[in-house]
Amino acid sequence: MPTMDAIDRKILAVLQAEGRVTNVELASRVDLTAPPCLRRVRALEEAGVIRGYHADLDPSKLGFAITVFAMVSLRSQAEEDLRAFENHIRSLPQVRECHMLNGEIDFILKIVAHDLQSFQEFLTSHLTPAPNVASVKTSLTIRTAKHEPGVPLD
């Protein structure tokens, strides 16, 4: 990780909260002029600290009424089998996040679906029959109390 100072952290905090801020506005908020601010942003991008810029979409307004977390256990944890599962998951657009875990469960997935019927179809057609899947346990999200992308920068 590159060495970052307080100004870099301020830049990251502003961009994390408001990715569409102009460079001039960003520079003003972190007490820099525009050219050095832009150089710092570019350096943070090149170092991979800033991975990209995204719009935060409301799934329900786009017809994705449910979010489900699926806990997946595999039959084998050999590296080749883990990578095969991860590659399969990457091909499924309904899976929005995939995290490998330690312990009893191998992966936790965040899945969006239009409704319960479409989720059931996804589950039985794409997830449970995937190679090396031993079991899948699912939990339907009732509500989201907190959704805060990124990391704390205080």
Side-chain angles (χ1 to χ4, degrees):
M1 188 169 99
T3 305
M4 292 187 292
D5 61 14
I7 293 174
D8 289 328
R9 290 192 178 281
K10 284 183 189 176
I11 288 170
L12 293 172
V14 171
L15 288 175
Q16 184 171 254
E18 188 182 343
R20 290 185 60 169
V21 66
T22 66
N23 183 58
V24 172
E25 176 63 23
L26 177 61
S28 171
R29 291 189 197 179
V30 300
D31 297 322
L32 284 177
T33 59
C37 183
L38 185 58
R39 279 193 297 274
R40 284 176 178 255
V41 170
R42 295 286 184 249
L44 291 165
E45 291 170 345
E46 289 170 12
V49 175
I50 298 173
R51 296 187 296 193
Y53 300 89
H54 312 277
D56 185 11
L57 307 179
D58 183 335
S60 65
K61 295 204 168 133
L62 295 166
F64 294 95
I66 64 171
T67 300
V68 178
F69 287 91
M71 286 67 66
V72 179
S73 295
L74 302 180
R75 287 185 194 92
S76 165
Q77 288 74 31
E79 188 61 32
E80 182 179 315
D81 294 324
L82 295 170
R83 288 194 194 281
F85 178 77
E86 290 169 339
N87 288 336
H88 175 68
I89 291 304
R90 283 188 193 101
S91 74
L92 304 172
Q94 299 92 329
V95 178
R96 305 313 300 166
E97 295 181 33
C98 174
H99 304 274
M100 187 172 156
L101 306 174
N102 70 339
E104 267 184 63
I105 305 298
D106 295 310
F107 289 92
I108 187 166
L109 312 177
K110 180 180 176 184
I111 303 165
V112 296
H114 295 291
D115 52 35
L116 284 173
Q117 184 177 351
S118 64
F119 173 70
Q120 180 67 31
E121 149 73 26
F122 170 81
L123 183 65
T124 58
S125 298
H126 300 288
L127 191 55
T128 54
N132 197 33
V133 170
S135 70
V136 178
K137 297 176 184 175
T138 61
S139 291
L140 180 66
T141 300
I142 303 295
R143 69 175 168 230
T144 300
K146 183 175 183 179
H147 171 74
E148 190 144 353
V151 298
L153 291 164
D154 302 81

